[in-house]
Amino acid sequence: NSEVRFTMAQLNAFFARIKQPVNLIVDDKGIIVNHAEVQHWLATQANISIQQIPGGHHLHMSENCQAVGQWLTQVLPGA
């Protein structure tokens, strides 16, 4: 299993260094949606915009890749 999860301290340290706006895409079934502490933390982050798309963890590769692509063309015009 190659799963790695940040602690809340690691999450805070990682995002504290990012000053630019962040566009975060999440699935509607995974750990981010189902983790109350992470949901609360995200609500306090002014520079993080969240887009939730139906699917599982690898929605960008299989389940809903077209929706992910459409979202990317909206947030990254000209890409």
Side-chain angles (χ1 to χ4, degrees):
N1 193 342
S2 63
E3 187 174 287
V4 175
R5 293 189 179 156
F6 286 173
T7 65
M8 290 307 294
Q10 290 170 321
L11 192 64
N12 280 321
F14 181 79
F15 279 98
R17 306 227 11 161
I18 299 174
K19 303 304 179 200
Q20 274 61 32
V22 174
N23 290 303
L24 177 64
I25 188 170
V26 298
D27 63 82
D28 65 349
K29 297 179 183 124
I31 189 168
I32 291 176
V33 173
N34 296 311
H35 195 289
E37 188 175 16
V38 172
Q39 283 294 311
H40 174 74
W41 180 86
L42 283 168
T44 67
Q45 305 304 303
N47 68 326
I48 300 177
S49 173
I50 301 168
Q51 175 67 39
Q52 190 176 68
I53 293 181
H57 178 73
H58 292 288
L59 65 104
H60 61 289
M61 296 189 317
S62 58
E63 298 169 29
N64 209 350
C65 61
Q66 289 181 335
V68 173
Q70 290 171 348
W71 177 77
L72 285 171
T73 58
Q74 291 173 12
V75 298
L76 300 171

